[in-house]
Amino acid sequence: MDRKIEHKKNPLKRILLYTLLTILLCLLLWSALAAGNKVTIDRDRVSIKTVEYDSFEDMALFNGKVQPLNTLQINTIESGTVKKIHGQNGALIKEGELLLELYNPNTELSYLTQETAIIEQINNLRNTRISIKNQQMTLDKDLIQMSYNFNNAARQYRMDTTLYRKGVISKNDYLKSKETFEFQGKQQENTKKYMQNEQKDRETQLRLINASIEKMEKSLEQLRENKENFIVKAPATGLLSSFNPLLGKSYNKGELIGKVDMQDGYKLLVRADEYYFNQLKTGKMALLEFNDKQYHLKVEKVVAEVINGKFDIELVFEDKAPETIQQGMTLPIKIYLSNKKEKALLLPKGSFYQSSGGQYVFVLTNDNTAKKRKISIGKANANFYQVLEGLVEGDRVITSSYDDFKDKDVLALN
């Protein structure tokens, strides 16, 4: 009778088989995952830059608008309606040149009424002064006549005294002559005292009248000058700007109607982002490259007011401005945020920053593969980012936009 032979199972083979199957499954799973997190792109679609270790300039690029170094405002002195326009916007004007004529009938009538009243008061005071002087002349005439009478009485008295002593005339005639002499003497003495007091009063009165007339004449002169305030003239020589009046348009007193841009130099006005508000201070240096030449500037003024996320700074030239620049031109300038240069890892700027926020980059591991890597970025200037962590000198980085593959970890370049 035949007997069935049983073969013993080998557990080691089974373990090896299971292990191989597990490894194969893991490899398949990893390949599937890797394939899902990898994308192939055309090399020509990306920009590749190399990380360098070099000097880092802490500066920022801005656009500066050329403006005149000094500007004078033109304001109306009196309110009125535009009667005639003489100046033209954008024209070169000279100091004192007629620009605009205004008309205000109510104010002009008021000026005319005041002028008439002042002239009338001046005439009245002049007539009073003439009357006082005439009184003085009359008193002087009376004093002369009195002196004449006194001298005659004195002469007659001396003569009658001699004749009386010789017995030629009577005592009555002598006494009469003596009384006349004494009367004329007392009258002259009293009149002189009176005239002295009167003279002081008249001098005081005339001095006050002359002072009043002088003040009124100055008021009259000022009033007539005020009538000229309806005529707007150039306050200085320069370029007339922002001057756009219309015939018949009304302006209030002190209203801005234009500017005179002085031709004594230029400055640059920069509208900077509020991000730089604490970094841009007066005294910061700047550089303008224009027509193959370099011009140094410095921040002269910072307007401490942020409007719509922007604030203004003014820069002046250290030396002369370029001769060929014109008002209104926009020029690119570098403003140095720090005077120190330091060595650092530098990553050229690119649109990758907008995609990754500077949190990661794609670094080439070989000519055909790039992998995502976390990095840390510090300061930035117009051309480079300062790399703090994640990259080394010589790393090749894709710096173009990551928008099409920012959710991938590996890029295959072909």
Side-chain angles (χ1 to χ4, degrees), residues 18 33 57 73-74 87 109 117 123 130 143 150 165 179 194 198 218 230 242 248 253 257 287 294 318 353 368 396 411:
Y18 288 158
L33 291 175
E57 288 185 328
Q73 293 186 343
I74 305 174
L109 179 60
N123 289 334
I130 292 172
L143 183 60
F150 172 75
R165 288 176 181 172
E179 289 176 356
Y194 170 77
E198 283 294 308
K218 288 182 178 179
F230 292 106
S242 303
K253 183 177 181 179
I257 59 173
L287 181 68
Q294 293 185 341
E318 290 280 84
Y353 191 89
N368 301 317
R396 293 180 297 166
L411 304 180

Side-chain angles (χ1 to χ4, degrees), residues 192-384:
K192 284 183 176 180
K193 290 181 180 179
Y194 170 77
M195 289 185 66
Q196 286 176 354
N197 294 330
E198 283 294 308
Q199 181 68 23
K200 292 180 180 178
D201 292 341
R202 281 193 297 272
E203 287 177 354
T204 301
Q205 192 173 4
L206 287 173
R207 186 169 61 253
L208 294 174
I209 289 175
N210 290 333
S212 296
I213 291 176
E214 184 178 357
K215 289 181 180 179
M216 289 184 180
E217 286 178 341
K218 288 182 178 179
S219 297
L220 185 61
E221 182 181 353
Q222 183 64 47
L223 186 64
R224 287 170 177 168
E225 288 179 359
N226 289 343
K227 292 174 67 176
E228 295 294 319
N229 291 338
F230 292 106
I231 298 176
V232 181
K233 297 181 180 180
T237 299
L239 183 70
L240 183 62
S241 63
S242 303
F243 184 75
N244 300 293
L246 298 174
L247 289 173
K249 183 178 179 179
S250 296
Y251 287 95
N252 296 321
K253 183 177 181 179
E255 189 170 349
L256 179 66
I257 59 173
K259 298 178 182 178
V260 178
D261 299 329
M262 311 292 285
Q263 302 297 292
D264 56 352
Y266 294 99
K267 62 184 177 183
L268 294 184
L269 177 65
V270 170
R271 289 192 59 79
D273 190 274
E274 61 182 333
Y275 170 80
Y276 296 101
F277 189 79
N278 293 323
Q279 301 179 64
L280 294 177
K281 303 293 183 182
T282 55
K284 292 290 186 181
M285 305 306 297
L287 181 68
L288 166 66
E289 295 182 354
F290 185 77
N291 288 345
D292 298 327
K293 291 184 179 180
Q294 293 185 341
Y295 298 88
H296 297 279
L297 305 94
K298 68 176 181 179
V299 177
E300 180 75 8
K301 179 181 179 183
V302 177
V303 180
E305 183 180 10
V306 178
I307 301 176
N308 296 327
K310 302 285 186 179
F311 69 101
D312 293 338
I313 61 173
E314 294 180 2
L315 298 99
V316 295
F317 288 90
E318 290 280 84
D319 297 313
K320 290 184 178 180
E323 295 181 357
T324 55
I325 66 171
Q326 298 292 329
Q327 182 176 337
M329 292 176 64
T330 300
L331 304 175
I333 59 171
K334 296 178 182 178
I335 300 181
Y336 295 97
L337 306 179
S338 172
N339 295 328
K340 297 180 180 180
K341 288 185 178 181
E342 55 185 10
K343 290 286 187 176
L345 282 176
L346 304 181
L347 174 62
K349 277 193 167 182
S351 53
F352 75 91
Y353 191 89
Q354 286 71 31
S355 302
S356 68
Q359 301 297 313
Y360 65 88
V361 290
F362 282 94
V363 183
L364 271 70
T365 57
N366 54 52
D367 290 340
N368 301 317
T369 305
K371 291 184 178 181
K372 182 182 290 185
R373 187 187 300 177
K374 289 184 178 181
I375 64 170
S376 177
I377 288 178
K379 297 179 181 179
N381 61 24
N383 301 313
F384 297 98

Side-chain angles (χ1 to χ4, degrees), residues 33-269:
L33 291 175
N37 205 21
K38 181 178 180 180
V39 66
T40 301
I41 61 173
D42 191 348
R43 181 184 294 271
D44 295 335
R45 290 178 52 197
V46 298
S47 176
I48 301 173
K49 302 292 183 180
T50 302
V51 176
E52 301 175 358
Y53 186 75
D54 204 346
S55 296
F56 178 78
E57 288 185 328
D58 191 8
M59 59 84 176
L61 275 180
F62 298 95
N63 287 323
K65 189 173 183 180
V66 179
Q67 291 191 346
L69 187 61
N70 294 296
T71 299
L72 289 179
Q73 293 186 343
I74 305 174
N75 299 85
T76 57
I77 302 177
E78 292 288 348
S79 60
T81 302
V82 177
K83 179 181 178 182
K84 194 171 183 180
I85 302 172
H86 297 274
Q88 184 176 1
N89 190 48
L92 287 172
I93 56 175
K94 295 182 179 180
E95 183 177 357
E97 184 176 332
L98 183 61
L99 301 178
L100 190 70
E101 292 182 47
L102 299 175
Y103 176 68
N104 189 325
N106 294 330
T107 306
E108 290 192 3
L109 179 60
S110 175
Y111 283 162
L112 182 61
T113 301
Q114 294 178 55
E115 183 179 8
T116 303
I118 292 174
I119 292 174
E120 185 177 353
Q121 293 178 33
I122 291 175
N123 289 334
N124 290 337
L125 289 173
R126 285 174 175 171
N127 290 334
T128 303
R129 184 172 61 183
I130 292 172
S131 177
I132 292 173
K133 289 182 177 180
N134 288 336
Q135 291 176 9
Q136 179 67 37
M137 290 177 63
T138 301
L139 290 174
D140 290 342
K141 184 179 179 181
D142 292 342
L143 183 60
I144 292 172
Q145 182 65 44
M146 194 173 296
S147 297
Y148 174 75
N149 293 336
F150 172 75
N151 291 333
N152 285 338
R155 186 170 55 253
Q156 186 66 41
Y157 172 65
R158 287 193 299 270
M159 186 175 62
D160 289 347
T161 300
T162 301
L163 293 175
Y164 173 68
R165 288 176 181 172
K166 292 181 179 182
V168 177
I169 62 173
S170 63
K171 185 177 181 179
N172 185 50
D173 290 337
Y174 165 73
L175 293 175
K176 184 179 180 180
S177 178
K178 182 180 179 181
E179 289 176 356
T180 302
F181 167 69
E182 291 175 349
F183 170 77
Q184 291 293 339
K186 290 180 179 179
Q187 188 179 30
Q188 185 183 38
E189 183 179 355
N190 291 333
T191 302
K192 284 183 176 180
K193 290 181 180 179
Y194 170 77
M195 289 185 66
Q196 286 176 354
N197 294 330
E198 283 294 308
Q199 181 68 23
K200 292 180 180 178
D201 292 341
R202 281 193 297 272
E203 287 177 354
T204 301
Q205 192 173 4
L206 287 173
R207 186 169 61 253
L208 294 174
I209 289 175
N210 290 333
S212 296
I213 291 176
E214 184 178 357
K215 289 181 180 179
M216 289 184 180
E217 286 178 341
K218 288 182 178 179
S219 297
L220 185 61
E221 182 181 353
Q222 183 64 47
L223 186 64
R224 287 170 177 168
E225 288 179 359
N226 289 343
K227 292 174 67 176
E228 295 294 319
N229 291 338
F230 292 106
I231 298 176
V232 181
K233 297 181 180 180
T237 299
L239 183 70
L240 183 62
S241 63
S242 303
F243 184 75
N244 300 293
L246 298 174
L247 289 173
K249 183 178 179 179
S250 296
Y251 287 95
N252 296 321
K253 183 177 181 179
E255 189 170 349
L256 179 66
I257 59 173
K259 298 178 182 178
V260 178
D261 299 329
M262 311 292 285
Q263 302 297 292
D264 56 352
Y266 294 99
K267 62 184 177 183
L268 294 184
L269 177 65

